[in-house]
Amino acid sequence: MNEPGERKAVHSGFRGCRIVWINGAFGSGKTQTAWELHRRLPGSYVFDPENAGYYIRANMPDSLQKGDFQEFPLWRRFNYDMLSYLADLHDGVLLVPMTVTDPLIFAEIAGRLRSDGRDLRHYALLASEGELLRRLRSRGEGRRSWAAAQIGRCVRELKQDAFAEQLDTEPWSVAETAERIAALAGLELLPRSGGASGAWSRLLTQLRHVRWQKGIGKK
């Protein structure tokens, strides 16, 4: 067993633990899918890169603010460093729900981690504009919301080769999307939480992660 602070051994030719990055347009179900995987994957941890963005925004003078916190080099460096640190020391899978649609920003974090020898799997959740709008409405965000206005751009950019592997989630439930990702990543999940218990867990996750601010970053 590793002592605290001790670097983990390399497994299967990779450095540290596996990282599963779940990308997608707003409303695609990234966060719901990550937490569904977390509930059914003992030892996993959900790492949210947005939290660093909120901290930077809250501690930055107005004169230095940017329209999207992904534009801050500090945000990109911090998330690369945190994921590197966690991958070295964590014994489970790291789940990363985060929209990144700029190939250069994605390369600066995910590409760099892969270059370091990390086992990073990436899945972009896609669906039609109508389905994404329906999902946004289900969490209280209408057609005129900031998130809805980003759908066309996000879907278009996430179809680029840089963001493989793309998954068409149009007909899938959250549980089905999680199961598909697990199968592709070679992860063994616990059985689904059926009935009211599973539905209540997903609702709590949705309410806990709704972002009411405009222009908060490309999640």
Side-chain angles (χ1 to χ4, degrees):
M1 178 179 294
N2 296 90
E3 295 298 324
E6 180 182 349
R7 185 175 295 274
K8 288 179 60 178
V10 174
H11 298 286
S12 304
F14 292 104
R15 288 180 58 193
C17 72
R18 179 169 298 172
I19 302 168
V20 176
W21 189 308
I22 305 173
N23 207 338
F26 300 88
S28 61
K30 301 176 301 298
T31 300
Q32 288 274 12
T33 300
W35 283 93
E36 177 74 12
L37 286 166
H38 174 62
R39 284 190 290 270
R40 299 171 61 183
L41 197 59
S44 62
Y45 180 76
V46 179
F47 174 80
D48 188 348
E50 275 200 334
N51 290 331
Y54 297 131
Y55 178 84
I56 292 170
R57 280 268 180 84
N59 292 278
M60 191 73 67
D62 290 344
S63 61
L64 298 179
Q65 293 287 351
K66 295 182 182 294
D68 185 332
F69 53 58
Q70 292 188 16
E71 297 173 12
F72 287 107
L74 179 62
W75 180 84
R76 305 193 294 272
R77 288 198 301 269
F78 177 85
N79 283 301
Y80 163 78
D81 287 341
M82 274 294 293
L83 285 168
S84 295
Y85 180 82
L86 291 172
D88 277 342
L89 299 176
H90 183 54
D91 284 323
V93 176
L94 295 176
L95 304 167
V96 185
M98 184 70 207
T99 298
V100 174
T101 62
D102 184 325
L104 295 178
I105 292 176
F106 185 69
E108 193 170 336
I109 304 174
R112 189 177 171 193
L113 289 165
R114 285 170 168 166
S115 295
D116 292 343
R118 307 290 182 188
D119 184 6
L120 188 147
R121 313 295 177 93
H122 172 268
Y123 305 98
L125 310 186
L126 303 181
S128 67
E129 182 174 350
E131 174 62 15
L132 292 170
L133 286 170
R134 185 193 69 77
R135 295 177 187 178
L136 285 177
R137 284 196 300 271
S138 74
R139 68 186 203 192
E141 298 184 73
R143 182 179 292 273
R144 296 184 179 181
S145 67
W146 183 87
Q150 313 307 310
I151 286 177
R153 172 186 61 80
C154 288
V155 171
R156 181 176 62 255
E157 294 177 356
L158 286 171
K159 290 180 179 179
Q160 297 177 80
D161 291 344
F163 297 109
E165 176 165 2
Q166 292 92 350
L167 302 178
D168 180 4
T169 68
E170 184 96 8
W172 297 345
S173 66
V174 170
E176 289 169 332
T177 300
E179 287 162 2
R180 179 58 177 160
I181 289 174
L184 290 169
L187 302 172
E188 185 174 347
L189 300 182
L190 296 176
R192 297 187 191 185
S193 297
S197 174
W200 179 244
S201 294
R202 285 187 285 274
L203 177 60
L204 287 177
T205 298
Q206 179 173 314
L207 293 175
R208 189 164 55 240
H209 292 90
V210 166
R211 311 296 193 187
W212 298 106
Q213 302 96 326
K214 290 186 178 181
I216 56 174
K218 298 176 183 176
K219 182 168 182 185

